[in-house]
Amino acid sequence: MRKTAFWLMAAAGVLGASLAQAQAFVWPQKWTTAKLSEVKRGGTLRGSTISDYRTFNPFLAAESGNIPSVMCGPGGLVRRDPTTGEWIPYMAESWTISPNKLDITFKIRKGLKFSDGRPITADDWVTTWRIHTDKAVGSNSYDSFFIDGKPIVVRKIDDYTLRISYPKTDAEAFAVASYCPWPAHVFGPVYQKEGAEGIKKMWTLSEKPENIVSPGPWVLESYTPGERVVLRRNPNFGEWNKDEAGNPLPYLDRYEIRIVKDTNAQLAAFLAGEIDVYAPSTVDQISQVRQAIQQGRLDATIKVNASPVASSQFIVFNWNKASDPFKQALFRSDKFRKAMSHLINRQAVIDLVYGGLGTPMYTSVYPVLTQWINPKVPKYEYDPKQAAKLLSELGFTRKDREGYLVDSRGRRLEFTLATNAGNAQREQMAKLFVDEAKKVGVKVNFTPIDFNTLVGQLLSSGPDRPFDAILIGLSGGGLDWPFGSNVVPCKGNLHMWNKSGQCLDPRETQLDALYSRGRTELDFKKRQQIGYQMQEIEAQLLPVLYIAGPNYHPAWNNRLGGEHPDAILSSIWGQRELELTFIKK
Amino acid sequence: MTQYILRRVLYLIPTFFGATFLAFLIIQLAPGDYLTQMELDPKVTPETIARLRSQFGLDQPIYVQYLLWMNNLFHLNLGYSFSYQAPVLEVIWPRVVNSMWIVIPSTLLLYLVAIPIGVYGAVRPYSFGDKLFSFLAYVGLSVPSFFLALIAIYVLLQIKFKTGVLLFPVGGMTSSGFEQMGRLEQIKDILWHLVVPVLLATANDIAGLSRLMRGQMMEVLGQDYIRTARAKGLSERVVIYKHAFRNAVIPFVATLGGLLPSLISGAGFIEVVMAWPGITPFFLDAIANQDLYVIAGFLTVGLVLLLLGNLLSDLLLAWVDPRIRYF
């Protein structure tokens, strides 16, 4: 009897929960070029990816564009508004920040549901954080939950209230809070019983798609190894994600991603109309797409030079050469590095390496992060005369019989420049630099070497490291604070020019201090000023010589509607929000 | 014969250990390891990388890693893929099956086309037809397969631009919407995708096999017993197919063993260019990422098949040719 009463109450409770109207997040129409009146429902968007998927497990997935991140979409307590770059509430409806700025308390939206119909609550965020921060799991997100080695803590206050506590004030606090919640009711019991080993066995590629639970816009329908993944709309997502007319999102029924290992094959598939979205990276690919469009063979749109790509290419000189004091003194001299910057013909690099479709770089901030770029930073542009003048000030006034500069003691100005073999673009950049250097009498010996050997040399530490100069690139970095946490600080693992473990130049010390100040500054305007100041010091110190980077050229088949307006069509925001994309025909 | 077989089987054991150790050593001699790529990631701390290194056992000496791996092999466990975080066999097998879709039909086609061409060339040496086939075969041999694939894609695209019809897909193994098709539809779809890669994979090997057949056949046709057969007044067709061809084909028995390892080794760069989800792109990825156990595991399976294939060939030959047994 009592049991029956209990079941009745439980049933009533469930009913009550499902009748409570989800508080919707409304997707602003200004995020898309489409009008509400032209939007259609249904259809399949066909994309492609270069590398195969490795797992469905959100705690093990490490490749970019992995399946869990696609399924989850924008999921997280907060997300960015692409039109402003600001953090806005998403799965949370609001937040409060404690007076000491170390705790952020989030109110979670009610009515959020996983694809299996279970509600998304504070437990899911707590369990997800716990598993990510278990060393034995080996999650790729592990380091993002620590600041200077101190942990960020996620606590449940009640089912719909969550508190995240930071060891320091942090400019990237919201970026940390934007992690995706995975179902505690799926992972929790396994983690309780078997720990990290149990988690690692879950959701491998051989798992049945119907067992994969998603918090986001897509659920997994099928995966064919090396061929494609097919995702289906998650109807529960549409209960709380609406367009301005109140229609549930996404509009699409399916999202298919083909795995295409070769860029030529990708181009062919786009030209044949087999895939809908594409971002060509070489001049040749761009011109083929353009031609096909102009000659009416392909009904598509391409936006050439939409924005720079968030990546850098640079030359770094080794300051730690105890065994060669002559070179060490040279590489540590900013006059020498300025001279070298004057020898980098950035325009020639853009013309020859990127076919005219690239952007020059002068500081560590990617040109695409326009709000962070300090327009007043001095640039040591291509100027061989100025380079020769600076080198003569360093004592290199005479040339030897072969035409190379020597100092008063007859020591030749000569060094080795390495890059990773097989990277055609970097090899071309290096050769251009060698030619320019030769014109003013600097002998640069170019050696392409194996990538892993190069990384080994670059990241070695101590007073005597085994290279002169290396040409390489980095990518990654954030909109909140675009400086590298392990690049700028003198003890950083990627402080590539000086790995002695301490600052050698007073300006390094300054940068180190400014980095920490900026990272803990919560006011954007003030943080931006610190960033500007850092770029000025960088430009003077030139710890690395930035060269140039490629541009982003999104293309899509005109079957699709709902791409970003031109203002936010960039390598940061991409060409579209999938949720607002629809099939026209 | 029994003794011969036993001896051959015993030889396999040291060969297997030597070859696997060498393979393991060479993979390990390459600079860096699976985690080197991660070291350039500004978001990952060195402590994390060091921890992963010890979790993956990559901080152990090479011989220890080899012995652990061998120990697993004897339990029929090929090890664990770093990048897939799953058993090697589980991630390799579907790819091998996909490759077989190309390899098996193209092998059959190869024999069906190359042997008649070889016979024709031997019967009518230096005729126009012989020269034409030789020329085409050498073109197939000399143009790298990936380039042929690119040309094929180009031609298919041009046809589509001119007529609006896509004769054959320019890549992949299945069409969009494959998962919603019926069984028969699915098979049809795969066959439609198969045509171009199979033709390309065959084109490359026709030259070698047809020249081999032509040489064998010419040699046999020059023998005394053929003259005798002709003298007896047998029709030319009977002479060629009943007497000459049967003897000329014997050496091909020896090549049958070699087909075993090629079954799993895929169709090479054709798979990469035609976006075929076979073993080649997968294996290239594994090499680029230094996914140690995937490379070693795949090589081991190939090695075992090679050893078995050779054994099989030798036994077949010994069975066909008594002289071999007494070496």
Side-chain angles (χ1 to χ4, degrees):
Chain A
M1 182 67 219
R2 254 203 347 236
K3 230 177 182 173
T4 333
F6 168 77
W7 280 119
L8 276 174
M9 275 173 51
V14 170
L15 271 176
S18 64
L19 288 177
Q21 196 41 262
Q23 308 147 300
F25 174 88
V26 177
W27 291 62
Q29 211 54 39
K30 63 180 184 196
W31 291 2
T32 156
T33 53
K35 294 185 190 63
L36 278 171
S37 54
E38 56 174 334
V39 165
K40 292 190 179 128
R41 302 193 67 83
T44 302
L45 170 70
R46 301 159 310 162
S48 70
T49 181
I50 279 279
S51 65
D52 190 11
Y53 296 107
R54 314 238 188 270
T55 177
F56 304 144
N57 185 323
F59 301 104
L60 301 178
E63 71 274 15
S64 65
N66 57 68
I67 292 179
S69 72
V70 174
M71 287 197 303
C72 185
L77 291 162
V78 290
R79 64 175 301 177
R80 287 182 191 276
D81 178 338
T83 52
T84 61
E86 303 277 326
W87 288 104
I88 52 173
Y90 185 53
M91 284 177 145
E93 57 185 33
S94 64
W95 62 74
T96 47
I97 299 176
S98 66
N100 67 0
K101 308 264 200 315
L102 293 178
D103 296 323
I104 309 180
T105 308
F106 293 93
K107 273 268 166 242
I108 300 167
R109 231 176 257 278
K110 293 201 172 64
L112 306 181
K113 275 194 221 141
F114 285 108
S115 56
D116 63 355
R118 298 279 290 263
I120 304 176
T121 64
D123 286 323
D124 300 301
W125 272 277
V126 173
T127 305
T128 301
W129 159 76
R130 192 154 307 187
I131 299 173
H132 274 309
T133 51
D134 179 336
K135 280 184 176 167
V137 172
S139 159
N140 217 34
S141 309
Y142 177 90
D143 288 323
S144 63
F145 291 102
F146 291 81
I147 303 177
D148 298 339
K150 296 191 189 73
I152 292 167
V153 180
V154 182
R155 274 192 213 90
K156 169 185 173 176
I157 307 296
D158 62 45
D159 276 352
Y160 291 98
T161 316
L162 195 71
R163 178 167 302 153
I164 303 187
S165 308
Y166 300 81
K168 297 180 168 183
T169 53
D170 184 18
E172 299 189 347
F174 284 111
V176 176
S178 68
Y179 73 96
C180 187
W182 293 95
H185 63 273
V186 174
F187 290 98
V190 177
Y191 190 58
Q192 290 277 317
K193 219 166 54 202
E194 306 169 54
E197 284 314 303
I199 294 292
K200 282 173 150 177
K201 289 197 197 88
M202 292 177 76
W203 290 17
T204 61
L205 290 178
S206 48
E207 183 66 62
K208 287 198 181 69
E210 53 269 28
N211 297 340
I212 307 287
V213 178
S214 162
W218 309 106
V219 283
L220 187 66
E221 184 169 78
S222 69
Y223 164 77
T224 330
E227 174 81 4
R228 81 163 59 77
V229 64
V230 183
L231 299 138
R232 200 179 48 236
R233 185 162 49 86
N234 169 14
N236 296 344
F237 179 85
E239 287 180 16
W240 66 279
N241 284 273
K242 311 275 188 196
D243 66 10
E244 284 183 1
N247 299 309
L249 297 173
Y251 299 124
L252 296 162
D253 281 340
R254 284 195 177 80
Y255 176 31
E256 244 182 39
I257 308 167
R258 245 174 82 174
I259 298 150
V260 182
K261 182 91 195 78
D262 179 76
T263 51
N264 290 313
Q266 230 173 2
L267 172 67
F270 184 70
L271 291 176
E274 291 177 0
I275 55 173
D276 299 319
V277 287
Y278 176 58
S281 55
T282 67
V283 185
D284 177 50
Q285 290 165 351
I286 293 165
S287 64
Q288 293 222 39
V289 173
R290 266 181 161 169
Q291 253 181 4
I293 294 171
Q294 279 160 3
Q295 298 172 1
R297 298 177 310 195
L298 175 70
D299 185 15
T301 306
I302 181 165
K303 299 272 184 178
V304 176
N305 288 338
S307 84
V309 165
S311 73
S312 61
Q313 308 290 329
F314 52 80
I315 293 175
V316 58
F317 286 94
N318 175 11
W319 293 12
N320 317 116
K321 286 196 76 74
S323 58
D324 191 341
F326 166 66
K327 272 186 186 166
Q328 177 167 289
L330 206 57
F331 297 161
R332 286 187 188 188
S333 141
D334 55 348
K335 203 170 253 186
F336 167 79
R337 293 193 302 273
K338 272 171 196 159
M340 292 302 112
S341 181
H342 284 309
L343 293 179
I344 298 174
N345 190 341
R346 292 174 180 82
Q347 197 50 50
V349 167
I350 291 168
D351 289 344
L352 295 169
V353 179
Y354 299 123
L357 309 171
T359 307
M361 271 189 84
Y362 303 95
T363 70
S364 68
V365 179
Y366 305 132
V368 67
L369 304 174
T370 43
Q371 73 275 37
W372 285 103
I373 292 281
N374 180 349
K376 292 205 202 57
V377 156
K379 297 170 183 170
Y380 297 94
E381 295 274 24
Y382 174 65
D383 185 352
K385 278 206 184 70
Q386 187 59 23
K389 186 167 161 276
L390 288 169
L391 292 173
S392 71
E393 285 170 26
L394 285 169
F396 293 97
T397 46
R398 294 185 298 114
K399 286 189 177 175
D400 61 10
R401 248 179 295 164
E402 287 174 58
Y404 292 112
L405 287 167
V406 288
D407 67 0
S408 53
R409 289 166 54 189
R411 290 176 302 190
R412 186 191 270 184
L413 187 48
E414 178 176 10
F415 59 86
T416 304
L417 174 67
T419 191
N420 54 311
N423 185 320
Q425 295 190 327
R426 284 187 194 147
E427 289 185 18
Q428 276 178 302
M429 285 180 205
K431 283 177 191 146
L432 280 168
F433 180 72
V434 171
D435 289 346
E436 294 295 347
K438 194 175 171 181
K439 285 180 196 165
V440 298
V442 180
K443 186 162 196 224
V444 182
N445 304 309
F446 170 53
T447 51
I449 53 178
D450 170 82
F451 179 77
N452 287 347
T453 311
L454 190 78
V455 172
Q457 292 183 358
L458 188 71
L459 301 185
S460 60
S461 52
D464 193 31
R465 299 194 294 147
F467 72 95
D468 291 351
I470 283 178
L471 194 156
I472 199 162
L474 283 180
S475 61
L479 286 155
D480 295 307
W481 185 232
F483 299 93
S485 64
N486 48 4
V487 181
V488 181
C490 296
K491 288 190 177 5
N493 184 40
L494 286 169
H495 194 78
M496 295 158 282
W497 56 96
N498 166 21
K499 294 263 303 212
S500 61
Q502 57 206 25
C503 305
L504 292 170
D505 188 301
R507 288 164 296 184
E508 277 185 287
T509 320
Q510 263 181 303
L511 283 169
D512 198 330
L514 283 169
Y515 172 83
S516 308
R517 244 181 64 199
R519 174 85 201 243
T520 52
E521 175 58 63
L522 297 180
D523 181 288
F524 180 79
K525 275 274 167 282
K526 285 184 188 154
R527 199 160 68 236
Q528 196 184 31
Q529 284 312 313
I530 299 170
Y532 276 19
Q533 203 183 337
M534 284 176 70
Q535 287 172 72
E536 276 165 32
I537 298 170
E538 266 186 5
Q540 289 301 334
L541 177 68
L542 291 174
V544 293
L545 308 179
Y546 288 96
I547 303 170
N551 286 350
Y552 170 67
H553 322 280
W556 59 87
N557 191 305
N558 289 340
R559 287 175 72 228
L560 304 185
E563 67 275 0
H564 280 153
D566 283 355
I568 52 169
L569 201 69
S570 78
S571 61
I572 300 284
W573 309 112
Q575 58 164 257
R576 59 189 58 250
E577 304 294 325
L578 286 176
E579 292 76 1
L580 295 171
T581 296
F582 60 96
I583 305 293
K584 284 185 199 163
K585 30 192 159 179
Chain B
M1 188 73 183
T2 326
Q3 210 188 358
Y4 171 76
I5 296 175
L6 264 178
R7 206 169 45 209
R8 293 286 327 186
V9 172
L10 282 177
Y11 281 153
L12 295 186
I13 295 164
T15 316
F16 175 79
F17 280 107
T20 47
F21 184 69
L22 205 62
F24 201 81
L25 189 72
I26 289 170
I27 300 167
Q28 292 279 41
L29 282 179
D33 59 25
Y34 174 68
L35 296 163
T36 310
Q37 304 259 11
M38 212 186 269
E39 289 178 359
L40 275 190
D41 185 338
K43 293 186 297 293
V44 182
T45 61
E47 294 76 29
T48 301
I49 289 169
R51 200 181 59 238
L52 285 173
R53 211 159 252 150
S54 72
Q55 273 176 13
F56 289 161
L58 288 168
D59 52 353
Q60 310 266 11
I62 288 182
Y63 69 92
V64 174
Q65 292 186 47
Y66 174 74
L67 289 175
L68 284 172
W69 177 59
M70 269 293 134
N71 182 26
N72 282 336
L73 271 187
F74 285 120
H75 297 94
L76 293 182
N77 168 5
L78 286 176
Y80 209 73
S81 157
F82 298 146
S83 58
Y84 285 78
Q85 296 277 315
V88 166
L89 198 65
E90 194 179 290
V91 291
I92 281 189
W93 185 241
R95 305 312 205 90
V96 170
V97 172
N98 287 350
S99 279
M100 284 182 183
W101 276 96
I102 298 183
V103 172
I104 293 171
S106 83
T107 308
L108 290 174
L109 189 67
L110 174 66
Y111 279 81
L112 283 175
V113 174
I115 288 178
I117 289 180
V119 172
Y120 174 84
V123 176
R124 298 217 196 324
Y126 313 115
S127 65
F128 173 73
D130 178 33
K131 281 182 181 154
L132 180 73
F133 281 133
S134 296
F135 172 74
L136 288 176
Y138 280 119
V139 169
L141 181 70
S142 55
V143 179
S145 59
F146 72 89
F147 193 69
L148 270 182
L150 284 174
I151 291 172
I153 290 176
Y154 175 79
V155 170
L156 287 170
L157 279 178
Q158 290 308 316
I159 293 173
K160 177 172 194 288
F161 290 152
K162 294 277 183 297
T163 65
V165 181
L166 193 59
L167 280 184
F168 295 108
V170 293
M173 177 168 157
T174 55
S175 302
S176 175
F178 180 82
E179 289 73 17
Q180 287 91 46
M181 296 177 187
R183 197 92 195 101
L184 195 68
E185 288 284 300
Q186 289 191 338
I187 304 249
K188 274 211 303 230
D189 186 52
I190 292 183
L191 290 178
W192 184 52
H193 281 79
L194 257 182
V195 177
V196 177
V198 165
L199 289 178
L200 292 170
T202 313
N204 242 260
D205 299 334
I206 282 182
L209 201 65
S210 65
R211 299 305 285 181
L212 187 67
M213 187 69 217
R214 182 174 177 267
Q216 282 293 333
M217 195 75 186
M218 278 175 109
E219 195 182 329
V220 173
L221 283 173
Q223 306 255 342
D224 290 350
Y225 67 90
I226 297 291
R227 206 176 46 201
T228 312
R230 282 182 178 145
K232 273 197 308 190
L234 291 177
S235 73
E236 191 62 8
R237 179 189 291 211
V238 173
V239 171
I240 290 170
Y241 291 102
K242 205 166 168 181
H243 294 263
F245 182 69
R246 277 187 176 189
N247 284 318
V249 142
I250 283 179
F252 284 90
V253 168
T255 62
L256 291 178
L259 292 179
L260 266 188
S262 74
L263 270 184
I264 67 150
S265 57
F269 278 100
I270 292 169
E271 291 180 353
V272 177
V273 180
M274 300 290 296
W276 190 269
I279 192 74
T280 315
F282 171 86
F283 195 56
L284 287 174
D285 262 352
I287 292 173
N289 297 330
Q290 299 202 325
D291 200 343
L292 171 66
Y293 295 105
V294 171
I295 309 172
F298 182 67
L299 289 177
T300 307
V301 175
L303 176 73
V304 169
L305 288 177
L306 184 70
L307 293 173
L308 288 178
N310 278 343
L311 179 68
L312 202 70
S313 293
D314 288 349
L315 295 181
L316 278 172
L317 270 179
W319 176 62
V320 171
D321 188 346
R323 287 171 301 180
I324 292 176
R325 285 171 231 170
Y326 302 103
F327 273 124

